[in-house]
Amino acid sequence: MITVVLKRRGVLLFAPLLYISGMVLYMGSLNFDVNLKNGGVVVRKRAPPGTVYRSPKVFEKLWPYMEAESNDSYNALMTAWDPKWHQGWKPSGISNNSEAELPESNGFLIIEANGGLNQQRLSICDAVAVAGLLNATLVIPIFHLNSVWRDSSKFGEIFDEDFFIHALKNNVNVVRELPSDILEQFDNNISSIVNLRVKAWSSPTYYLQKVLPKLRQMREEVCWTDDGDYDIDEGEDPSSLNTVWAVRIAPFSNRLAHAVLPNIQGLRCLANFEALRFSEPIRMLAEKMVDQMIKNSSQSGGKYVSVHLRFETDMVAFSCCEYDGGEEEKREMDIARESAWRGKFRRRGRVIKPGANRVDGKCPLTPLEVGMMLRGMGFDNTTSVYVAAGNIYKADKYMAPLKQMFPRLETKDTIATDEELAPFKGHSSRLAALDYTVCLHSEVFVTTQGGNFPHFLMGHRRYLYGGHAKTIKPDKRKLALLFDKPTIRWGVFKRQMQDMLHHSDVKGSELRKPSASLYTFPMPDCMCKPTEATQEVSDS
């Protein structure tokens, strides 16, 4: 009898604990935070995932574990990529080495490239393809002074003009400027040349059926004088008249479809991967910066990580995401949005949901989040990291934890002197070209927000590294949920990050799909995979 009573009392004593445990589990499943305080239970409803920037809390929890592994002999930089995914793709020899002269040109094509460095790059390469399609002579593209980039650089100040013309000479005729006698036909004013409005992503058929006939029509119109007679010398056959004409397409960004015939794709490949190289001043400084990064990475065999960090003020403002800056941050972002986009974000009916943006993977990763991701993937504190970026929002505050995790962190401002950078200051495309080159030659490239810069880099790195991008493209939806868990364990976090690294490795060798760009996916349009027989011959 006494034993039974004691058992019942024991159950009664443990009942509150069982109840509290059940409450913790239940409330946790319903987004409630449950805490024990002064012998009681305090329940607070947890904000929906993504609505609160919890990454600093996660870092506070995980930092001791990162520090404990700082002296570990393992560094993912040495084994980041699995050799089995490197399938030996090689450039397919896209240049036409024939010395045969090109057919007589149908006239001059003038295009205006707009946007930043890689938007300009896209326009240039597409223009080469269109010039080849129309058998036209391409005039070195004009760069539009973009209201966002505000860079007045001309083609030759960013790219090597002579090399570009020479590399294309057997495929497309390129000239630096419209000849003076041709320009005189248009009152020495480029703007007087007919501007053909071409729709975005136009097909080659459109150019052949709409643009080319227009050019021929213009040629016929140029042949006639104001009196209605042919402007020809006495005895000259009008049918043999060789009058030159020109057309202009502005703007030209994204004016050619992704899917075109192989010979036109080949011109895109040739232009992007072979003909376009940076001007000599950019190349000289960029090569010096790459050498410095390799020297700084002596503990990792000269290998380093590059990160394209899109945490600039305009990017944070445009994303409509919220971090931990409170009312001051909100005020600054409102000002930035109004300054750059003039009421776009205040239109009637527009609802901004920062939490939904974060969970949907649309928020720029902070330097802190990038650092935690890389440490979780196994990159230790001896890793040299190069950050390619514009002016980071509140850099002193947000860059500090990344430097804490990776003391060997560099930017163009730390590995180049003020005197070396002086000619490039105020020219965003030239500065971007420096970043592009250092990222191109890194062992690992990390993209954090998308855009033309990482897309072109991923493709260029595939082209250079046997068809493999060697690029970490994080799953930002998954990261948003992981960074929302301040109690997450280091072991769980590491497994998730290493799975993400493996996924990037697997996806690194993707082939181009019909709707995708060859500037990001150069296989199989610009590269070929040697057959076993070819491989045996090359090995022997």
Side-chain angles (χ1 to χ4, degrees):
M1 185 66 179
I2 295 175
T3 305
V4 173
V5 172
L6 289 174
K7 283 182 179 180
R8 287 178 179 173
R9 286 183 176 177
V11 171
L12 291 173
L13 288 172
F14 281 105
L17 293 176
L18 292 171
Y19 173 76
I20 292 171
S21 300
M23 284 286 290
V24 169
L25 292 173
Y26 178 69
M27 293 300 185
S29 67
L30 293 180
N31 279 334
F32 284 87
D33 286 323
V34 183
N35 297 305
L36 300 179
K37 188 175 181 180
N38 298 327
V41 178
V42 179
V43 179
R44 295 188 182 91
K45 192 176 189 309
R46 186 188 305 158
T51 54
V52 178
Y53 174 59
R54 300 180 189 273
S55 299
K57 289 289 186 183
V58 177
F59 177 61
E60 185 181 339
K61 167 75 182 300
L62 300 183
W63 173 241
Y65 299 96
M66 296 181 198
E67 273 197 304
E69 293 187 354
S70 292
N71 297 320
D72 198 332
S73 59
Y74 170 75
N75 186 347
L77 193 57
M78 309 307 294
T79 57
W81 313 118
D82 189 336
K84 73 180 179 183
W85 299 115
H86 304 176
Q87 300 172 2
W89 288 83
K90 295 182 179 180
S92 54
I94 46 187
S95 177
N96 175 12
N97 293 316
S98 171
E99 293 299 325
E101 291 186 6
L102 293 173
E104 184 180 351
S105 172
N106 286 325
F108 290 91
L109 173 65
I110 302 166
I111 70 104
E112 187 175 286
N114 55 317
L117 173 68
N118 291 288
Q119 187 75 8
Q120 292 169 339
R121 191 182 192 105
L122 186 151
S123 296
I124 295 164
C125 297
D126 281 359
V128 169
V130 170
L133 176 68
L134 301 178
N135 187 32
T137 297
L138 178 66
V139 179
I140 286 290
I142 300 166
F143 286 173
H144 175 66
L145 182 60
N146 185 274
S147 60
V148 176
W149 286 80
R150 302 180 187 281
D151 189 339
S152 60
S153 298
K154 294 179 173 57
F155 185 101
E157 293 171 310
I158 300 174
F159 300 105
D160 188 329
E161 250 180 40
D162 291 335
F163 186 84
F164 182 72
I165 294 171
H166 178 78
L168 294 171
K169 69 176 184 177
N170 295 324
N171 298 271
V172 175
N173 191 28
V174 183
V175 295
R176 285 182 178 80
E177 56 188 18
L178 199 62
S180 57
D181 58 328
I182 306 302
L183 191 57
E184 286 176 4
Q185 299 178 24
F186 302 97
D187 299 324
N188 294 307
N189 186 355
I190 289 284
S191 299
S192 298
I193 298 174
V194 173
N195 184 21
L196 302 180
R197 293 289 180 176
V198 176
K199 293 181 180 179
W201 312 113
S202 290
S203 68
T205 302
Y206 177 88
Y207 280 95
L208 293 173
Q209 293 182 350
K210 300 293 184 181
V211 177
L212 191 56
K214 184 67 176 176
L215 299 181
R216 288 173 175 162
Q217 175 189 342
M218 290 178 63
R219 178 175 186 174
E220 293 174 0
E221 290 173 355
V222 169
C223 294
W224 292 92
T225 66
D226 293 338
D227 298 329
D229 297 323
Y230 272 106
D231 186 14
I232 57 176
D233 295 331
E234 184 177 352
E236 187 174 3
D237 180 4
S239 64
S240 65
L241 193 64
N242 187 27
T243 304
V244 182
W245 70 100
V247 295
R248 187 166 57 99
I249 304 178
F252 189 74
S253 178
N254 300 317
R255 289 302 184 269
L256 182 61
H258 288 311
V260 298
L261 292 174
N263 63 317
I264 304 302
Q265 290 287 46
L267 292 176
R268 277 173 156 167
C269 300
L270 176 60
N272 187 51
F273 298 114
E274 301 293 342
L276 271 183
R277 75 177 186 184
F278 293 124
S279 62
E280 185 176 3
I282 292 174
R283 287 201 318 275
M284 289 179 63
L285 179 55
E287 288 169 7
K288 183 177 179 181
M289 292 165 66
V290 170
D291 289 341
Q292 187 61 48
M293 285 304 301
I294 293 172
K295 182 179 178 181
N296 292 353
S297 310
S298 57
Q299 282 191 259
S300 51
K303 298 178 179 180
Y304 61 93
V305 174
S306 62
V307 179
H308 184 223
L309 191 58
R310 297 307 314 274
F311 202 68
E312 301 100 339
T313 300
D314 61 337
M315 182 57 66
V316 176
F318 185 80
S319 71
C320 295
C321 297
E322 293 179 355
Y323 295 90
D324 57 354
E327 288 301 316
E328 180 184 358
E329 177 190 305
K330 184 178 184 304
R331 184 171 60 256
E332 290 172 345
M333 293 301 102
D334 285 342
I335 292 172
R337 280 190 283 268
E338 188 61 26
S339 172
W341 295 284
R342 297 177 186 174
K344 176 178 179 178
F345 295 91
R346 294 186 290 102
R347 289 175 186 165
R348 182 178 297 177
R350 177 153 194 164
V351 179
I352 296 175
K353 297 181 178 180
N357 289 347
R358 178 168 282 117
V359 172
D360 200 28
K362 295 179 180 178
C363 291
L365 293 179
T366 65
L368 169 68
E369 292 168 336
V370 172
M372 284 195 289
M373 178 185 73
L374 290 174
R375 288 300 293 263
M377 288 177 174
F379 299 96
D380 66 19
N381 67 344
T382 67
T383 304
S384 291
V385 176
Y386 180 84
V387 172
N391 295 320
I392 300 297
Y393 174 59
K394 291 191 179 297
D396 290 342
K397 171 185 175 180
Y398 284 108
M399 288 295 288
L402 180 59
K403 292 177 181 177
Q404 184 179 342
M405 287 180 273
F406 293 99
R408 300 185 179 192
L409 185 143
E410 305 282 2
T411 65
K412 52 182 168 287
D413 294 304
T414 62
I415 58 173
T417 65
D418 291 339
E419 291 75 16
E420 290 171 328
L421 290 173
F424 306 96
K425 293 291 187 181
H427 300 285
S428 55
S429 289
R430 297 188 220 178
L431 291 171
L434 296 174
D435 279 341
Y436 186 99
T437 305
V438 181
C439 291
L440 184 64
H441 295 288
S442 63
E443 175 67 8
V444 177
F445 171 62
V446 182
T447 172
T448 63
Q449 187 62 16
N452 284 311
F453 187 97
H455 289 160
F456 270 82
L457 260 172
M458 282 189 279
H460 208 153
R461 289 167 65 81
R462 283 186 170 101
Y463 190 80
L464 287 182
Y465 300 132
H468 192 269
K470 290 193 174 185
T471 299
I472 295 174
K473 189 177 181 182
D475 183 340
K476 292 170 65 179
R477 291 185 178 91
K478 179 182 284 187
L479 285 176
L481 296 178
L482 293 173
F483 290 141
D484 197 60
K485 298 177 179 177
T487 59
I488 191 169
R489 292 182 309 223
W490 176 236
V492 173
F493 184 79
K494 280 178 61 177
R495 282 195 298 274
Q496 294 287 344
M497 295 303 98
Q498 286 160 11
D499 285 347
M500 203 173 289
L501 175 60
H502 175 71
H503 183 72
S504 292
D505 193 9
V506 173
K507 300 287 281 184
S509 298
E510 279 186 289
L511 301 183
R512 188 181 73 86
K513 297 175 182 177
S515 61
S517 167
L518 67 71
Y519 303 119
T520 306
F521 303 98
M523 301 102 72
D525 302 87
C526 309
M527 306 182 74
C528 59
K529 193 173 179 183
T531 62
E532 292 184 8
T534 306
Q535 190 66 45
E536 288 175 5
V537 171
S538 62
D539 291 342
S540 60

